[in-house]
Amino acid sequence: MEVPVSLEEESADIRSRALAEARLWLGTPYRHQASCRGAGCDCLGLLRGVVRGLYGREPEEAPDYAPDWSAAGREELREAGRRWLEEIAIEAALPGDVLLFRWRDGVPARHVGLLADGQKLIHAYERVGVIESPLVPAWRRRISNAFRFPEEPSWQL
């Protein structure tokens, strides 16, 4: 007899798997627009790699983007998150969820990482690579959006 799994348990499982996948990327060097574990990635490349690890493929090709993501003020990162992930309240974010960051008020989100246990962040940091670092107040102030990986993504249906 199969025991039904609650939505809460499914959410915990996908978050746990996302976190484990992200940790496989630790130590990967920073490379703008790359997404190759061990060889190089940027923050979006890390997220793309986690998505591939969870679902086998990405929902869409990443657009070409400048290192500073200058795109005439468009919220491209946030909009992609809304297309492919489940937006949640920032205060509801748990380890394994995706966080977007703005460098300052009034500008689009330009950085992404995964919340880790112990109020840490796994992200690809320019000139450093993929690290797990404390989510200090300076980072926390910059969180603009939070997303959760879907158990059954719309692009897989």
Side-chain angles (χ1 to χ4, degrees), residues 22-31 34-42 46 123-125 128-131:
R23 285 195 170 115
L24 293 174
W25 289 71
L26 291 172
T28 297
Y30 184 90
R31 299 283 182 268
S35 184
C36 184
R37 188 174 73 207
C41 71
D42 58 11
L46 170 62
H123 60 135
Y125 205 54
V128 176
V130 180
I131 58 171

Side-chain angles (χ1 to χ4, degrees), residues 21-142:
E21 186 65 35
R23 285 195 170 115
L24 293 174
W25 289 71
L26 291 172
T28 297
Y30 184 90
R31 299 283 182 268
H32 174 63
Q33 290 192 0
S35 184
C36 184
R37 188 174 73 207
C41 71
D42 58 11
C43 65
L44 180 59
L46 170 62
L47 178 60
R48 292 172 51 215
V50 170
V51 166
R52 288 192 309 271
L54 292 173
Y55 307 115
R57 68 180 183 92
E58 298 174 54
E60 63 185 53
E61 278 192 45
D64 209 21
Y65 52 91
D68 67 356
W69 289 61
S70 54
R74 295 192 312 260
E75 289 277 4
E76 294 180 79
L77 193 55
R78 182 190 67 197
E79 295 312 311
R82 287 178 173 169
R83 278 194 304 277
W84 307 117
L85 304 173
E86 298 169 358
E87 191 163 17
I88 58 173
I90 294 168
E91 57 276 3
L94 296 168
D97 287 333
V98 176
L99 301 176
L100 302 187
F101 299 86
R102 296 182 197 290
W103 297 130
R104 62 182 192 281
D105 290 342
V107 300
R110 298 292 185 239
H111 191 64
V112 60
L114 275 81
L115 182 61
D117 304 300
Q119 292 302 301
K120 292 185 176 181
L121 179 66
I122 298 175
H123 60 135
Y125 205 54
E126 194 171 359
R127 293 185 290 275
V128 176
V130 180
I131 58 171
E132 185 168 342
S133 60
L135 187 60
V136 296
W139 277 107
R140 193 173 299 285
R141 276 193 307 274
R142 291 179 170 91

